[in-house]
Amino acid sequence: MGTVREATFDVLRRHGLTTIFANPGSTEVSLLTGLPDDLRFVLALHEGSVVGVATGFALGREAPALAVLHTTAGLGNAVGAIATARVNRAPLVILVGQQDRRHLALEPFLAGRLAGLAGDYPVRVDQPVRAQDVPGAVARACHEAVTGRGPALVVVPMDDWDAEWAEDVVAAPTRVVRPAGVADADLAPLVTLLSGARAPAIVSGAGADWGSLVTLAERLGCPVFQESFGGRAGFPQDHPQYAGVLPADRARLRAVLGAYDVVLAVGAPVFRQYPYVPGPLVAPGTTVVVITDDPSEAHRSAADLAYLASPAALCTRLSALLPAPGPPDAASVVEGSAPTIGADGVGLPPLPVGGRPLRAAHVLHELALRLPADAVLVEETPSSRPDLHRLVPARNPLGFVSAAMGGLGFALPAAVGLRMALPDRPVVAVVGDGSALYGVHALWSAAHYRVGALFLVLANGRYAIMDRLADQRGGKAPWPPFTEVDLAALARSLGCPARKVDGHAELVAALEEVVPTLAAREEPLLLDVDVTVDPDFQP
């Protein structure tokens, strides 16, 4: 005999969900008060940060993370972060508090109409019919989050936690096994297609497995592009076959892929775009194949052939079935190769006399010179993203992590969660000042829980990408700059150490001091770096 709360805690332990990310409200007090010693509570100061930190934790662990939200207000505040978690393939279990079940029919204060509030972004939303169904609903949410690669929500009325638990059955399996084998007969059409290809290419995405994709790319001897707006690097960006980030509009996409007769998208949709440009995605004569374990990604991709399967298992078996490669098509590889800038800085904009004002490229170049290969890098700097792609190659699968949804407020909390999940890995968030303001409250969690991440803010005092988009339309932007904002001061007010940096010498000195300490660091640091907008930047 026990309570629903105690039975649910047993489910959480069984699934490794012993860290609870939350910003509590009154409807969650009965769950959270007097937690057992083996359950860790992590406070974030806003629900967007709650889900953002949990998302980073899930991505770092490659396992579900647990978040608790407060009825309508908490879930509403977190919807953008829930959408990001879904598009970033982060498995989350989210418990949402609700008013007391015994008078919900009267819609009392804090009662929420919660089932559809997060739209279609959750992979499942469950409102258990009885209090005694809550433990099974939470166990099912764990499985649904992994299978659906996204957030699974369970809405729990506040009185359910104290209800008596005397059930014999939890309505969910203890363990789910997901076989990943791929039959040779199913691969035969793809083997035939690639064996006869004159010039194949690969587009890698966040769902790709690095080891098997490297083997396949080397077997084919072909260039590998990174999907545009991807949530994670899909291929080592220092590999000689890496060809850069795919353009995000149809005209440039056709130009880049026009040299290839077979394009294989692995762990990526076909193809992520931003501006609408009429015309087909690829030129006539190019066959497109997609390999993904995400059903919606497979079903919406404009491909000639789609495989809904484990990319790792499929690429591994495909490499074994393909014939030995012939001589590489050197011309196509050179044409698609990613631009690079050497350690001497050739190709960078000239450094001004006195070392200021800096451009984002100067900052990223100095970071790249010092960043270790195992570093986790979280990006949220839209106006500097092309420079980051060009200057800071991802050398491990978390060497580039970004909000694939496109909304702001991801990087700071995600970096906190990633560092919590990977306490021995260097973690750096490269963030614009406009982006940082959407998640700045996460710095308190970083400081309080001694999360030794580096937050590198590229501060230009404006929404530079929006300014440039307005310029392209030939109109005047109605929004002003926000040069009064002082991110270093905001960070310090939240307990996070911070420094202002406005010149090259100060930047180099700070990075030389801090970057070598990142793997062992227990104290966060924010570097607020003044940069000027690149006049040649094109969104």
Side-chain angles (χ1 to χ4, degrees):
M1 188 74 66
T3 64
V4 165
R5 178 177 184 259
E6 291 166 343
T8 302
F9 287 160
D10 287 340
V11 168
L12 297 178
R13 292 180 182 107
R14 189 159 61 241
H15 291 278
L17 295 174
T18 56
T19 299
I20 302 172
F21 300 97
N23 182 272
S26 57
T27 53
E28 297 76 57
V29 168
S30 52
L31 167 66
L32 298 172
T33 301
L35 285 175
D37 290 342
D38 63 327
L39 299 183
R40 181 190 187 197
F41 183 91
V42 175
L43 174 66
L45 301 186
H46 183 275
E47 291 86 356
S49 283
V50 168
V51 173
V53 175
T55 298
F57 195 70
L59 293 173
R61 294 199 322 149
E62 298 185 343
L66 174 65
V68 175
L69 301 177
H70 174 53
T71 190
T72 307
L75 180 57
N77 283 343
V79 167
I82 288 170
T84 295
R86 176 66 183 275
V87 181
N88 275 65
R89 301 165 165 250
L92 301 181
V93 175
I94 300 178
L95 304 182
V96 183
Q98 175 63 294
Q99 246 284 8
D100 193 303
R101 187 187 288 272
R102 294 167 292 189
H103 67 158
L104 273 176
L106 300 175
E107 292 202 16
F109 179 65
L110 292 180
R113 300 180 184 182
L114 303 172
L117 187 55
D120 293 331
Y121 288 110
V123 298
R124 177 175 173 81
V125 177
D126 199 349
Q127 299 186 91
V129 176
R130 307 179 304 150
Q132 290 73 22
D133 295 330
V134 169
V138 173
R140 177 168 178 177
C142 295
H143 301 314
E144 296 274 6
V146 174
T147 300
R149 304 287 289 279
L153 275 59
V154 182
V155 178
V156 185
M158 58 195 296
D159 59 312
D160 281 10
W161 298 115
D162 294 325
E164 183 179 285
W165 170 262
E167 302 295 303
D168 297 319
V169 175
V170 172
T174 302
R175 183 181 175 209
V176 173
V177 177
R178 301 170 179 83
V182 182
D184 289 0
D186 293 332
L187 287 176
L190 184 53
V191 171
T192 300
L193 182 65
L194 289 172
S195 298
R198 169 186 55 80
I202 292 173
V203 176
S204 64
D209 167 73
W210 274 35
S212 60
L213 190 57
V214 167
T215 300
L216 178 60
E218 291 176 350
R219 185 74 167 173
L220 291 169
C222 69
V224 181
F225 297 90
Q226 169 73 30
E227 67 167 326
S228 59
F229 306 115
R232 191 168 67 172
F235 189 80
Q237 294 176 357
D238 58 348
H239 191 284
Q241 289 172 231
Y242 177 63
V245 178
L246 212 57
D249 65 82
R250 297 185 189 188
R252 290 187 299 150
L253 183 67
R254 288 194 299 272
V256 167
L257 296 182
Y260 309 106
D261 57 344
V262 177
V263 176
L264 187 62
V266 180
V270 179
F271 293 106
R272 296 201 83 188
Q273 304 276 284
Y274 173 59
Y276 173 73
V277 178
L281 293 173
V282 295
T286 298
T287 299
V288 178
V289 181
V290 62
I291 299 168
T292 178
D293 59 3
D294 183 333
S296 64
E297 194 169 82
H299 297 158
R300 73 175 184 268
S301 288
D304 299 282
L305 176 62
Y307 282 89
L308 184 55
S310 160
L314 193 150
C315 290
T316 297
R317 188 60 192 148
L318 182 60
S319 296
L321 294 174
L322 286 170
D329 184 348
S332 65
V333 174
V334 169
E335 180 182 346
S337 61
T340 59
I341 288 181
D344 57 3
V346 173
L348 285 173
L351 194 65
V353 175
R356 58 174 62 85
L358 291 169
R359 290 195 195 171
H362 298 132
V363 181
L364 295 170
H365 174 64
E366 296 298 342
L367 177 67
L369 292 179
R370 294 161 179 83
L371 204 61
D374 66 339
V376 177
L377 188 144
V378 188
E379 175 273 333
E380 195 169 72
T381 174
S383 63
S384 307
R385 187 178 297 129
D387 283 329
L388 188 144
H389 282 314
R390 187 168 53 103
L391 295 166
V392 193
R395 291 174 286 171
N396 71 80
L398 295 174
F400 175 82
V401 180
S402 186
M405 184 63 203
L408 302 180
F410 170 76
L412 296 189
V416 174
L418 279 158
R419 176 65 176 188
M420 284 183 165
L422 302 167
D424 299 322
R425 295 270 298 275
V427 175
V428 179
V430 179
V431 194
D433 52 349
S435 301
L437 290 170
Y438 282 78
V440 70
H441 21 65
L443 297 175
W444 180 90
S445 300
H448 183 82
Y449 295 102
R450 297 191 62 77
V451 175
L454 172 63
F455 304 99
L456 185 61
V457 177
L458 304 177
N460 53 36
R462 65 194 69 247
Y463 297 121
I465 192 166
M466 298 301 300
D467 293 345
R468 186 53 55 89
L469 288 170
D471 289 344
Q472 289 180 346
R473 289 190 62 85
K476 184 180 185 300
W479 49 87
F482 44 87
T483 50
E484 304 89 346
V485 172
D486 186 334
L487 261 298
L490 282 172
R492 287 191 289 268
S493 76
L494 291 163
C496 178
R499 302 181 198 171
K500 293 281 286 185
V501 176
D502 69 352
H504 186 260
E506 292 173 63
L507 172 69
V508 169
L511 294 178
E512 289 280 1
E513 175 191 343
V514 175
V515 173
T517 73
L518 288 178
R521 191 179 182 89
E522 293 186 358
E523 184 179 65
L525 177 66
L526 183 140
L527 295 181
D528 185 2
V529 185
D530 284 337
V531 296
T532 187
V533 178
D534 183 350
D536 299 321
F537 166 66
Q538 296 294 329

